[in-house]
Amino acid sequence: MAVLITGGAGFIGSTIATRCKDQGIEPVIVDDLSTGLKQFTNGRTFYQGQVGDRELLRKILAENDIEAIIHCAAKIVVPESTQQPLSYYENNISQGIVLLEEAIAAGVKAFVFSSSGSIYSAEDGYEFNEDTKVDPHSPYSQTKADFERLLKAVAASSDLQVVSLRYFNPIGCDPQYRTGLQIEHPSHVLGKILEKAADKTTFTVTGVDWPTRDGSGVRDYIHVWDLAAAHLAVLDNLSDIREEDGTFSVINVGTGDGTTVRELVDIANTVLPEPIESQDGPARPGDVVGGFANVDKSKRLLKWEAKLSIQQGVADSLEWSKRLASVLADENYAPDLVAR
């Protein structure tokens, strides 16, 4: 069985590809390497280009027996999306349409979409189930919601079975340190915490007057290895998903627990060699209070639940950050050759 992973040289896509290899599924990667890391494709079937490149997609689908597509490729930085909304719509919507057209034409059976818990409204509280009102607060999250709406219509009008996984906040790396976050200076909270720890500078909690237990935003931090497992669980349970939801399904993928930014700092300080100092600051453009996933549906339909702790996610992220420079410097690095 072969699975096409768009954005397969990025953090989440490369980890899904690693888990596929471990379970005997052949990952086929397409990535334009705008943010993805070439080293993560070494030794794997790889095509360089954008998912909106129709001729490239036709070549990939003709040369490989693709049964499913896992669509991870997207622009994802919230503040950037507020500054460059047209770029986000072109990348996350327009190119995705081309991918869908070619998938349907080639007879692909299943399409798994990397959606986001950021599309939920916080009006009904901070625990989000799949029926919680959708109310995106940034161009980034709006593109996720809009593409989901398109996917629902496509699934109703074709033979393509679509599952939209609403991610929460992935942390960590492959626990065997083969793949992980490929960006040296990430914009997300844990990346900033680790950056400040390395620099021995003060971390800023952005937004401290949210209506949460300590004023800081609340998130559901899921280990990326668990997140990767959820995608393979989708492929293993397509029949059950179709029986309950038909050809279009939305499923939350998180831990089911909320952790505030201040609490994450405290957890990190139990892992870091030296605790970091923190200070309060204003929220960033596009930020929201956040929330956490109700995961009853993923447990029921996917027979899956998160197993790895936030502490392990932080520890794995810390260890990977120490290794990243050597990975970036080695053009011949190949994840599947790393000793287990």
Side-chain angles (χ1 to χ4, degrees):
M1 177 181 182
V3 174
L4 176 61
I5 304 174
T6 73
F11 173 36
I12 297 172
S14 68
T15 308
I16 295 170
T18 298
R19 190 131 198 173
C20 282
K21 295 282 285 188
D22 285 355
Q23 295 187 211
I25 298 172
E26 182 62 28
V28 177
I29 295 167
V30 59
D31 199 301
D32 65 6
L33 301 183
S34 58
T35 58
L37 186 61
K38 176 64 167 65
Q39 285 90 326
F40 288 163
T41 71
N42 288 340
R44 298 175 174 180
T45 304
F46 170 58
Y47 297 83
Q48 184 172 349
Q50 295 186 317
V51 297
D53 184 336
R54 194 178 298 276
E55 294 307 313
L56 176 62
L57 290 175
R58 289 177 178 174
K59 175 180 173 66
I60 294 169
L61 292 166
E63 293 179 351
N64 301 276
D65 184 18
I66 303 295
E67 295 188 28
I69 293 174
I70 298 176
H71 182 33
C72 297
K75 288 180 175 287
I76 62 170
V77 181
V78 169
E80 182 184 67
S81 77
T82 66
Q83 301 163 358
Q84 303 174 24
L86 289 175
S87 175
Y88 272 66
Y89 270 82
E90 190 280 330
N91 192 92
N92 296 359
I93 301 291
S94 299
Q95 293 197 36
I97 290 173
V98 177
L99 176 64
L100 283 170
E101 290 173 341
E102 295 305 319
I104 293 168
V108 174
K109 298 177 181 178
F111 190 96
V112 184
F113 176 53
S114 299
S115 190
S116 172
S118 68
I119 70 176
Y120 286 123
S121 166
E123 292 178 3
D124 298 326
Y126 305 127
E127 182 178 7
F128 304 140
N129 63 40
E130 289 81 1
D131 294 324
T132 297
K133 178 183 175 183
V134 170
D135 184 20
H137 288 275
S138 71
Y140 156 70
S141 57
Q142 187 67 60
T143 62
K144 292 293 187 181
D146 288 348
F147 200 67
E148 271 197 11
R149 189 176 297 112
L150 172 62
L151 287 171
K152 184 176 183 179
V154 168
S157 62
S158 70
D159 294 328
L160 190 66
Q161 183 172 355
V162 176
V163 178
S164 183
L165 295 182
R166 290 178 177 168
Y167 297 178
F168 281 71
N169 297 76
I171 60 173
C173 65
D174 162 28
Q176 296 181 39
Y177 308 115
R178 292 167 290 179
T179 53
L181 189 64
Q182 78 285 9
I183 301 170
E184 289 188 281
H185 302 289
S187 61
H188 60 67
V189 174
L190 181 56
K192 291 296 183 184
I193 290 173
L194 297 181
E195 183 180 274
K196 298 304 181 183
D199 295 342
K200 300 185 185 304
T201 53
T202 301
F203 170 74
T204 300
V205 180
T206 53
V208 294
D209 55 0
W210 298 110
T212 62
R213 53 186 170 267
D214 61 21
S216 64
V218 62
R219 303 288 185 268
D220 187 335
Y221 297 100
I222 179 173
H223 199 294
V224 70
W225 195 240
D226 281 331
L227 182 61
H231 291 75
L232 302 193
V234 169
L235 301 182
D236 288 339
N237 292 282
L238 286 171
S239 295
D240 289 346
I241 296 170
R242 182 187 285 265
E243 183 176 345
E244 179 165 321
D245 283 348
T247 56
F248 177 76
S249 184
V250 170
I251 303 175
N252 284 340
V253 184
T255 66
D257 291 316
T259 303
T260 70
V261 176
R262 294 191 196 277
E263 289 167 347
L264 182 64
V265 173
D266 291 340
I267 291 170
N269 279 338
T270 69
V271 174
L272 294 169
E274 297 181 21
I276 63 167
E277 299 291 332
S278 63
Q279 64 185 6
D280 296 346
R284 303 174 302 173
D287 274 351
V288 295
V289 60
F292 60 95
N294 177 300
V295 292
D296 292 346
K297 189 172 183 179
S298 61
K299 290 179 180 179
R300 184 178 70 254
L301 283 185
L302 304 185
K303 292 83 175 176
W304 168 95
E305 61 183 304
K307 297 179 180 179
L308 302 176
S309 68
I310 296 178
Q311 286 86 348
Q312 181 169 348
V314 173
D316 286 341
S317 294
L318 176 62
E319 178 61 29
W320 177 257
S321 71
K322 297 175 182 177
R323 299 176 183 228
L324 180 57
S326 63
V327 173
L328 294 173
D330 183 3
E331 293 183 357
N332 295 316
Y333 175 88
D336 302 321
L337 297 180
V338 176
R340 298 190 183 186

